[in-house]
Amino acid sequence: MPNIKEYSVEDINALFVSWGQKPYRAKQVIRWLYGRGVRSFSEMTDLSEELRTKLTESFTLNSPELAEQRDSADGTTKYLWRYNDGNTVESVLLNYRYGTSVCVSTQAGCRMGCKFCASPDAGFARNLTASEILDQVLFAQLKSGTQIGRIDLMGIGEPLDNFDNVVRFITLVRDPLFSPGGRAKGSAPGLNIGMRHITVSTCGLVPQIAKFAELEIPCNLSVSLHAPDDETRSALMPVNNRYNIAELIDCCERYYNKLNRRITFQYALIKGVNDSPAQAKLLAGLMRKVSGHVNLIHLNDTGNGLKAGDDRAFGALLLERGATVTTRRSLGADIDAACGMLRRRTIEKGQREVVTA
Ligand code: SAH
């Protein structure tokens, strides 16, 4: 049976028309789903018994359970969700001065194998569906009681390795009707997030970036670069053996020219690995070519022996060479907020994990 949350507002409207229902009934259902986050059709108490039964017989809801929640002293919250096949993923809710953002996972596990990341250790189970990604946003909003303003696809998984579901997810969020007005008493508002507040982050799957550019979705693109030379990047990120830096930068240049949107390049400084002045110079050169922006990330220690480099010194070298640079604030260090750390720990503890891939 399909999950009704895979349906767009338009799909639900069309379904209700085909069932001979009044159009406002579709709106009621959407309000229950996205305003209230109900877990069963029987909770939709303003629908007739007959319609609730028909929905129950035709669709699932499959909402994830909250398996664990960790609250950081700095206001960051990490959720570990368990889907009904037993697979777990993480989302992180971050509170900034300008609003709340949620960082969501796109796959249960990851196949990319980056050396500094905790995600690959726990293995790859499967892709998440569009509604499973959407549920992370919806339930983080409902659990926290705060309206989410930004979504980063930067949790566990490689979004462009799960291309169709990620694009479908963006299509679902894009629908303005997902912000159902007239919210029911006591419920959180629905989703209302503009494309410019969504960021897709990739480790650099070149053909998929090109395919994504074709869709001309006006969201933000972030590329995890982490090294400006092939030798270092291949040692850190196996994907670089498939698509090297020259190919990646060329593809990013085409993306920029087509969409006229600057790409942010993520760079986690690793002491003695990617933080030399020569590497700063190379990186500044790449950024000039692609009109890119560098975001320096503080490396989270995931117990693999790699240590964080000095962002200030490296950032200063980049600025001297005309690059634009920001430094990402490190949040949630006390709650294992780095990608995949909680899922990995859960699996290490031997909690149930179903691998179906
Ligand atoms: N696969 C996608 C998105 C998930 S990773 C990608 O590669 O972009 C999200 C971001 O966290 C990426 O920039 C990734 O390189 C970074 N990251 C992973 N492990 C990290 C760590 N230990 N410390 C700091 N950043 C890390």
Side-chain angles (χ1 to χ4, degrees):
M1 265 200 301
N3 182 332
I4 196 160
K5 283 181 269 181
E6 294 290 324
Y7 276 44
S8 66
V9 169
E10 211 176 298
D11 297 336
I12 297 177
N13 283 332
L15 175 84
F16 274 61
V17 168
S18 76
W19 282 1
Q21 293 286 339
K22 298 264 181 333
Y24 69 87
R25 294 276 175 226
K27 242 189 203 140
Q28 284 174 303
V29 169
I30 289 158
R31 202 172 299 159
W32 283 112
L33 292 175
Y34 297 97
R36 284 274 188 101
V38 294
R39 292 175 172 272
S40 73
F41 293 106
S42 60
E43 290 172 60
M44 300 184 173
T45 47
D46 55 4
L47 304 182
S48 69
E49 188 77 48
E50 192 195 340
L51 184 54
R52 280 186 260 167
T53 307
K54 192 160 181 180
L55 284 164
T56 308
E57 285 167 356
S58 314
F59 294 100
T60 62
L61 279 174
N62 275 347
S63 301
E65 295 293 334
L66 181 61
E68 195 173 333
Q69 175 174 339
R70 291 191 182 188
D71 297 301
S72 163
D74 63 22
T76 303
T77 300
K78 182 154 203 165
Y79 300 104
L80 184 75
W81 305 109
R82 180 173 289 118
Y83 297 109
N84 67 353
D85 67 351
N87 276 303
T88 53
V89 300
E90 297 162 37
S91 320
V92 183
L93 191 84
L94 301 131
N95 287 304
Y96 295 105
R97 258 169 309 167
Y98 53 80
T100 303
S101 76
V102 66
C103 178
V104 296
S105 297
T106 53
Q107 297 179 307
C110 188
R111 300 195 259 230
M112 298 299 124
C114 300
K115 295 290 184 283
F116 44 79
C117 182
S119 294
D121 299 351
F124 177 81
R126 64 173 175 85
N127 283 328
L128 299 186
T129 64
S131 66
E132 286 174 329
I133 306 170
L134 191 64
D135 274 343
Q136 294 173 53
V137 182
L138 177 63
F139 289 107
Q141 176 161 290
L142 290 166
K143 290 272 178 215
S144 67
T146 40
Q147 176 87 47
I148 287 170
R150 304 184 74 94
I151 305 173
D152 296 324
L153 282 78
M154 286 191 188
I156 299 170
E158 166 51 43
L160 298 185
D161 186 38
N162 183 15
F163 194 93
D164 293 345
N165 289 325
V166 162
V167 169
R168 176 89 190 148
F169 161 75
I170 295 173
T171 311
L172 291 176
V173 174
R174 201 171 188 175
D175 201 321
L177 289 178
F178 270 114
S179 45
R183 56 202 256 224
K185 221 169 136 198
S187 72
L191 305 175
N192 188 10
I193 299 161
M195 280 302 105
R196 282 175 165 67
H197 292 145
I198 296 181
T199 300
V200 173
S201 186
T202 178
C203 65
L205 293 174
V206 166
Q208 283 86 336
I209 295 173
K211 194 168 144 194
F212 194 64
E214 288 304 312
L215 301 175
E216 299 195 39
I217 298 172
C219 66
N220 306 306
L221 183 67
S222 149
V223 171
S224 301
L225 189 62
H226 303 308
D229 59 281
D230 282 322
E231 194 187 337
T232 311
R233 193 165 193 268
S234 293
L236 292 173
M237 304 176 72
V239 69
N240 200 66
N241 293 309
R242 277 153 77 192
Y243 313 109
N244 66 22
I245 293 176
E247 290 170 282
L248 177 59
I249 293 294
D250 267 4
C251 173
C252 290
E253 203 179 348
R254 284 196 295 275
Y255 179 96
Y256 175 72
N257 290 335
K258 187 168 174 71
L259 281 97
N260 200 24
R261 295 188 65 75
R262 289 180 80 186
I263 298 174
T264 297
F265 290 84
Q266 307 294 339
Y267 201 100
L269 278 169
I270 311 174
K271 206 173 181 168
V273 175
N274 64 1
D275 62 346
S276 72
Q279 284 163 318
K281 186 176 168 188
L282 268 177
L283 179 58
L286 294 177
M287 292 304 104
R288 264 195 303 280
K289 187 154 192 282
V290 68
S291 305
H293 172 91
V294 179
N295 189 34
L296 293 177
I297 314 177
H298 185 83
L299 183 80
N300 276 304
D301 192 340
T302 59
N304 50 16
L306 300 174
K307 297 289 167 223
D310 176 359
D311 347 315
R312 248 175 303 179
F314 195 82
L317 289 173
L318 288 174
L319 287 172
E320 262 170 38
R321 296 190 170 271
T324 65
V325 185
T326 45
T327 304
R328 195 197 284 177
R329 261 171 75 207
S330 180
L331 293 170
D334 53 337
I335 54 163
D336 281 351
C339 274
M341 288 175 78
L342 203 54
R343 177 175 186 262
R344 181 176 71 177
R345 186 154 305 170
T346 307
I347 294 169
E348 278 167 358
K349 279 195 303 204
Q351 294 184 11
R352 194 159 67 100
E353 182 75 6
V354 177
V355 178
T356 52

